[in-house]
Amino acid sequence: MNASLIFSPLAEGAGAPPRQQQLLTRFKQAILDGQLPAGGKLPSSRSLCEELRVSRNTVLAVYEQLIAEGYAQADRQGTRVAALAHAQHSARASVARTGSGRQSRRVATMMPTRDAGDRSLPLTPGMPALNRFPIHAWLRAQERALKQAPPLVLGYGDPLGEPALREAIAQYLRVARGVRCEASQVVVTEGAQGALSLCVRLFANPGETAWMEDPGYGGVRAAFHAGDLKIVAMPVDAGGILIPERAWRTRPARLIHVTPSHQYPTGAVLSLARRLELIAQARQAGSWIIEDDYDSEFRHRGHPVPAMQGLLPEAPVLYVGTFSKTMFPALRIGFLVLPESAGEGAYPALAELLRGGHRLEQLALAEFIAGGQFSRHLGRMRRLYRERQQALREALDRHLAVEHEVQGGDSGLHLTVRLPLAYEDTVISAASRAAGMNVGALSSFSALRRQAANNGLVIGYGNTSEEQFAPLIRRLAGIVRANG
Amino acid sequence: MNASLIFSPLAEGAGAPPRQQQLLTRFKQAILDGQLPAGGKLPSSRSLCEELRVSRNTVLAVYEQLIAEGYAQADRQGTRVAALAHAQHSARASVARTGSGRQSRRVATMMPTRDAGDRSLPLTPGMPALNRFPIHAWLRAQERALKQAPPLVLGYGDPLGEPALREAIAQYLRVARGVRCEASQVVVTEGAQGALSLCVRLFANPGETAWMEDPGYGGVRAAFHAGDLKIVAMPVDAGGILIPERAWRTRPARLIHVTPSHQYPTGAVLSLARRLELIAQARQAGSWIIEDDYDSEFRHRGHPVPAMQGLLPEAPVLYVGTFSKTMFPALRIGFLVLPESAGEGAYPALAELLRGGHRLEQLALAEFIAGGQFSRHLGRMRRLYRERQQALREALDRHLAVEHEVQGGDSGLHLTVRLPLAYEDTVISAASRAAGMNVGALSSFSALRRQAANNGLVIGYGNTSEEQFAPLIRRLAGIVRANG
């Protein structure tokens, strides 16, 4: 038998793996490669000891391990190589690997909806003021939560979320957003993304149609895409999503994603007439409206507009929210408010799809909300963001010399600045990132090619301190001019 | 116009909502119901003040809000009800709601694979020793992680997980499990469930076939189900999953879920010959093997068997693991090791499907592993679980008088106890829960009806202290006898 591999000297010195391990690996390799053919006897331990200068115990341990793992068998004559069907074949079968190279169709088609850029840079859209979050109070709240229920709180918990948190969320939504719900309808999710993915899994089948706003939120495109839905982009104007009458007949949707209180990213508020129209049509068509209320907590101007979900009794609305902007993104706690009509029927599936967990964080958040710390933090942030938006507006007035139109800002963490088509927003966005600020390109939120309607910049003011705006926007203005 | 609703007295006294809010709600309701028809004038503020004894400012504020929200319009003649297309219609459209009652096919078919019972009870399968986890050291590690990178660590972070954690996991898997991987192949997921769901989304298309072990892990059935895959159950014997030769031709699978190092729940170890055969066949068929190494860290007897993933170069294996059992379940951190062949191609899709976050926990875990605290904890728990398994075995020997066969226990946190068909495992499991212990029924892990091959009990020993076993098993034995 060819055992050259086996008898070649072992690696020595620092960094070399233990000799027993080296020897074991050699034997496995030789057996799998067929160098030691099935049924053949393994070399006598004595010969190995002499050749490799290893102790007899080392060799015996190696043989024992080979037997234990099924590479060899012991019989009266000694230790023999096991008969391993297909071992040789599979070791050389990489040619047949083509099949296993395949991935799902999704992987091929799921191109990044947009490059989020380096979100630690100033002017990043949708990023809250991380350095203003009371992180130590937060960690203390977790320790208190731990004291309440050690050590059970380390276990899985309720797949739908901690009852205390579901109650706190329901209470908050009823009062602050006019949402009609009981705690039993609230499901705690892995951020808003988890809620969107849950909407798809609970309410849509592969191949069905889903509508989204254009320009719109890339995350929902990803969620629809992952659920193998046909995505139809609907235009957006100053009154929010604008659905052509005939679309309801020609390609009715199972799911319709909207951001009524602050369209993402244009900032348009969906008018009451359109809200009612949408609900009425959705009822007729058997569609579910996904109301994504992603940053309505930060209302800056005008009167707070209550959520669509509460507008009419039993509206076919799936209400989605997140604490990524009100607390901090890494928390990854969002929620879905199920419609009453979904009822108990959905719970077995929910118990299968969700695994609970993150109980310390959920209990601490429940205490944060119930104890008033959450709304105090919201109040502080609302004032802060109002000042910052004002500072951004003034900087734009003063420094952005080219023709432009500022939109949005009634609520949230960003402004949209439309630019003439001559100024390529994607180019400007890329240049701004190179210049140390993460300004988004409006057209990159759109499935349509860049055009007058969707050419502009999306500028966040949440995580940028007041004094930074003037110098940053001056620099940005230079970039814009240079690309006109 | 019929404004009776409007003019009826407002609620008074403690608990009643502010009168302005009451009045606003009334008007909205009356307008949506059509009691106040489109174009009609709103009552004069004076008349309202007199009727309802509210201040003029209250009325004016209400009217202003109605205008702001689009319920009314101001013109020279005063304030008029806005024309809201479909408002009346939609308010009464609940008859047409049938459509929106619909949910996805999944919801109808996703029945709970099994009732996990109250997992805070002793003998719960798969539950680690929660009260032995060094929770305060863990919280301190999070605080250290925070100090390293405040406040950026509160942001989204890398969708694939913290680089430090991916590196620590890769390093650990190479050494402890013989997995062939670089940090770039490791994706941090929301527990093992998140990793399974990712396998489905990345590597399978709706309608394709997936194989799973029977009896097997309910969570994988849920993940396959959510991905609209056709699930085929494969038998399991003492050598692990047993795939009929012709299955490869008649219904080849895109995904094959196996638990080779400790079959769940029978505890069988997949033999080397079957591992090689499985890899060879999967290569031929273009299948992906999902190696779910859910509790192999707790090896109690015999020699540790390395992971299938590392058995041969470029084996078509997706390696899945979790920290739910080695750390604690509520942590919800698991991981997927992508095959080299998946390569960069999968990353755009991953960036779309995942959102990162949980950075404090991930950085703390990276430090736990790199700093050696993780393996020290593993060592302590291994010894603890070994003792507890021993105590469980002795209690079964001493007290379970009926004919039975104890299986598994080479690693992990549970034993399987097969019983004669006369003893209905589902009935015994239910009775045990009523008696304060969470013993699982083996047949409930199976898609097949209860039969000799899958009738028995699944008993966890991870979260049950040594002295509890004797009394608990004595009680369980009584339940078994009573149901024979």
Side-chain angles (χ1 to χ4, degrees), chain A residues 33-227:
Chain A
D33 294 354
Q35 283 186 39
L36 297 179
K41 270 177 107 174
L42 294 183
S44 75
S45 53
R46 196 191 309 97
S47 63
L48 271 169
C49 297
E50 288 164 0
E51 281 290 331
L52 302 174
R53 283 189 243 80
V54 294
S55 77
R56 185 131 195 289
N57 287 342
T58 303
V59 176
L60 294 181
V62 166
Y63 281 16
E64 203 184 319
Q65 178 77 13
L66 288 172
I67 293 164
E69 290 190 35
Y71 286 83
Q73 281 145 353
D75 61 21
R76 280 195 207 67
Q77 286 77 38
T79 312
R80 297 184 177 282
V81 175
L84 298 170
H86 286 274
Q88 290 76 347
H89 164 80
S90 42
R92 288 192 300 274
S94 44
V95 282
R97 269 190 52 263
T98 49
S100 291
R102 262 184 289 162
Q103 298 171 354
S104 68
R105 286 187 292 269
R106 292 176 203 98
V107 175
T109 51
M110 273 188 118
M111 286 303 107
T113 46
R114 68 196 188 96
D115 169 12
D118 174 353
R119 290 191 275 199
S120 66
L121 292 177
L123 304 188
T124 297
M127 183 64 70
L130 299 181
N131 60 349
R132 299 302 184 93
F133 181 75
I135 182 66
H136 293 288
W138 173 244
L139 291 177
R140 281 195 300 279
Q142 282 192 49
E143 280 167 7
R144 280 194 299 278
L146 178 66
K147 289 200 183 64
Q148 281 168 34
L152 280 187
V153 71
L154 301 181
Y156 288 92
D158 185 334
L160 277 66
E162 288 300 311
L165 180 56
R166 296 168 68 198
E167 185 52 64
I169 291 172
Q171 171 69 17
Y172 170 77
L173 292 178
R174 284 192 297 261
V175 174
R177 302 297 300 132
V179 172
R180 304 175 191 238
C181 68
E182 298 305 322
S184 61
Q185 292 167 259
V186 176
V187 182
V188 180
T189 60
E190 178 73 1
Q193 202 60 28
L196 293 174
S197 151
L198 206 51
C199 291
V200 170
R201 290 170 167 212
L202 291 178
F203 297 98
N205 298 306
E208 290 181 333
T209 298
W211 294 348
M212 64 177 286
E213 300 167 324
D214 192 307
Y217 174 53
V220 73
R221 182 176 289 114
F224 286 164
H225 205 137

Side-chain angles (χ1 to χ4, degrees), chain B residues 55-74:
Chain B
S55 77
R56 185 134 193 289
N57 288 340
T58 303
V59 177
L60 294 181
V62 167
Y63 281 17
E64 202 185 320
Q65 178 76 14
L66 287 172
I67 294 164
E69 290 190 35
Y71 287 83
Q73 282 146 351

Side-chain angles (χ1 to χ4, degrees), chain A residues 177 219 276 313 454:
Chain A
R177 302 297 300 132
L276 293 166
N454 68 13

Side-chain angles (χ1 to χ4, degrees), chain A residues 28-29 32 64-65 68-71 83-87 89-91 93-94 96-97 99-107 110-114 119-120 126-127 130-131 133 135-136 139 142-143 146 151-157 180 190 193 197 200-206 217-219 222 226-228 254 272-273 276-277 279-288 303-306 311-312 314 316 324-325 328-332 341-343 345-346 348-349 352-353 355-361, chain B residues 28-29 32 64-65 68-71 83-87 89-91 93-94 96-97 99-107 110-114 119-120 126-127 130-131 133 135-136 139 142-143 146 151-157 180 190 193 197 200-206 217-219 222 226-228 254 272-273 276-277 279-288 303-306 311-312 314 316 324-325 328-332 341-343 345-346 348-349 352-353 355-361:
Chain A
K28 288 182 175 181
Q29 206 49 58
L32 292 177
E64 203 184 319
Q65 178 77 13
E69 290 190 35
Y71 286 83
L84 298 170
H86 286 274
H89 164 80
S90 42
S94 44
R97 269 190 52 263
S100 291
R102 262 184 289 162
Q103 298 171 354
S104 68
R105 286 187 292 269
R106 292 176 203 98
V107 175
M110 273 188 118
M111 286 303 107
T113 46
R114 68 196 188 96
R119 290 191 275 199
S120 66
M127 183 64 70
L130 299 181
N131 60 349
F133 181 75
I135 182 66
H136 293 288
L139 291 177
Q142 282 192 49
E143 280 167 7
L146 178 66
L152 280 187
V153 71
L154 301 181
Y156 288 92
R180 304 175 191 238
E190 178 73 1
Q193 202 60 28
S197 151
V200 170
R201 290 170 167 212
L202 291 178
F203 297 98
N205 298 306
Y217 174 53
D228 302 287
R254 162 67 61 197
L272 179 65
L276 293 166
E277 172 77 17
I279 291 172
Q281 294 275 20
R283 279 181 165 151
Q284 291 292 350
S287 316
W288 288 107
H303 303 258
V305 180
L311 195 52
L312 296 169
E314 300 178 328
S324 294
K325 291 162 178 52
F328 58 93
L331 181 60
R332 307 301 298 126
S341 64
E352 288 298 291
L353 291 170
R355 280 291 178 276
H358 304 300
R359 299 182 66 181
L360 279 181
E361 296 84 340
Chain B
K28 288 181 175 181
Q29 207 49 58
L32 292 177
E64 202 185 320
Q65 178 76 14
E69 290 190 35
Y71 287 83
L84 299 169
H86 285 276
H89 164 81
S90 42
S94 43
R97 270 189 52 263
S100 292
R102 263 184 286 160
Q103 299 172 355
S104 68
R105 285 186 294 268
R106 292 176 202 98
V107 175
M110 273 188 121
M111 285 303 105
T113 46
R114 68 193 187 99
R119 290 190 276 198
S120 68
M127 183 64 69
L130 299 181
N131 60 350
F133 181 76
I135 181 67
H136 293 289
L139 290 177
Q142 282 193 46
E143 278 167 8
L146 178 66
L152 280 186
V153 71
L154 300 181
Y156 288 92
R180 305 174 189 239
E190 179 73 359
Q193 203 59 27
S197 151
V200 170
R201 289 170 169 213
L202 292 178
F203 296 99
N205 299 305
Y217 173 52
D228 301 288
R254 162 66 62 195
L272 180 63
L276 293 166
E277 172 77 17
I279 291 171
Q281 294 276 20
R283 278 180 166 152
Q284 290 292 349
S287 315
W288 287 107
H303 302 258
V305 180
L311 195 52
L312 297 168
E314 301 179 328
S324 294
K325 290 160 178 53
F328 58 95
L331 182 60
R332 308 301 300 126
S341 64
E352 287 298 292
L353 291 169
R355 281 291 177 275
H358 305 300
R359 301 182 66 182
L360 280 180
E361 297 84 342

Side-chain angles (χ1 to χ4, degrees), chain A residues 148-474:
Chain A
Q148 281 168 34
L152 280 187
V153 71
L154 301 181
Y156 288 92
D158 185 334
L160 277 66
E162 288 300 311
L165 180 56
R166 296 168 68 198
E167 185 52 64
I169 291 172
Q171 171 69 17
Y172 170 77
L173 292 178
R174 284 192 297 261
V175 174
R177 302 297 300 132
V179 172
R180 304 175 191 238
C181 68
E182 298 305 322
S184 61
Q185 292 167 259
V186 176
V187 182
V188 180
T189 60
E190 178 73 1
Q193 202 60 28
L196 293 174
S197 151
L198 206 51
C199 291
V200 170
R201 290 170 167 212
L202 291 178
F203 297 98
N205 298 306
E208 290 181 333
T209 298
W211 294 348
M212 64 177 286
E213 300 167 324
D214 192 307
Y217 174 53
V220 73
R221 182 176 289 114
F224 286 164
H225 205 137
D228 302 287
L229 303 180
K230 291 200 206 70
I231 301 174
V232 178
M234 289 291 166
V236 166
D237 68 9
I241 188 171
L242 184 61
I243 299 165
E245 176 62 32
R246 71 176 191 306
W248 292 102
R249 296 186 309 280
T250 55
R251 32 188 184 175
R254 162 67 61 197
L255 298 177
I256 305 170
H257 180 267
V258 290
T259 50
S261 47
H262 187 225
Q263 202 277 331
Y264 192 75
T266 69
V269 178
L270 190 62
S271 71
L272 179 65
R274 285 191 193 177
R275 290 172 187 232
L276 293 166
E277 172 77 17
L278 180 54
I279 291 172
Q281 294 275 20
R283 279 181 165 151
Q284 291 292 350
S287 316
W288 288 107
I289 299 161
I290 302 174
E291 177 175 24
D292 190 340
D293 213 11
Y294 66 102
D295 71 0
S296 60
E297 295 85 357
F298 303 117
R299 186 79 193 172
H300 304 312
R301 287 187 309 190
H303 303 258
V305 180
M308 273 181 79
Q309 193 268 8
L311 195 52
L312 296 169
E314 300 178 328
V317 174
L318 311 170
Y319 182 88
V320 168
T322 178
F323 290 97
S324 294
K325 291 162 178 52
T326 51
M327 295 281 287
F328 58 93
L331 181 60
R332 307 301 298 126
I333 295 184
F335 51 88
L336 166 63
V337 178
L338 292 166
E340 263 181 282
S341 64
E344 302 298 317
Y347 292 167
L350 284 168
E352 288 298 291
L353 291 170
L354 304 171
R355 280 291 178 276
H358 304 300
R359 299 182 66 181
L360 279 181
E361 296 84 340
Q362 290 190 21
L363 288 168
L365 181 54
E367 188 205 290
F368 238 58
I369 298 172
Q373 288 161 288
F374 179 68
S375 42
R376 279 195 298 279
H377 177 61
L378 273 191
R380 279 193 298 271
M381 292 304 104
R382 216 177 271 119
R383 287 188 294 278
L384 178 73
Y385 296 145
R386 210 165 290 171
E387 291 159 14
R388 291 182 169 184
Q389 184 190 127
Q390 194 46 42
L392 172 57
R393 287 181 178 277
E394 285 163 9
L396 288 167
D397 286 350
R398 183 165 308 117
H399 302 296
L400 188 54
V402 307
E403 171 198 355
H404 67 275
E405 183 193 359
V406 177
Q407 295 183 314
D410 287 0
S411 66
L413 300 171
H414 71 273
L415 290 174
T416 301
V417 180
R418 292 196 190 273
L419 290 172
L421 200 48
Y423 300 91
E424 271 197 47
D425 60 1
T426 49
V427 177
I428 294 166
S429 167
S432 78
R433 288 169 181 179
M437 60 193 118
N438 190 12
V439 170
L442 183 55
S443 65
S444 69
F445 291 78
S446 175
L448 315 167
R449 40 171 269 290
R450 198 175 61 89
Q451 53 192 284
N454 68 13
N455 186 63
L457 303 175
V458 182
I459 308 180
Y461 50 79
N463 199 27
T464 305
S465 58
E466 205 166 329
E467 67 280 8
Q468 286 179 283
F469 288 106
L472 286 171
I473 298 303
R474 204 179 301 117

Side-chain angles (χ1 to χ4, degrees), chain B residues 452-467:
Chain B
N454 68 13
N455 185 61
L457 303 175
V458 182
I459 308 181
Y461 50 79
N463 199 26
T464 306
S465 59
E466 206 167 328
E467 67 280 6

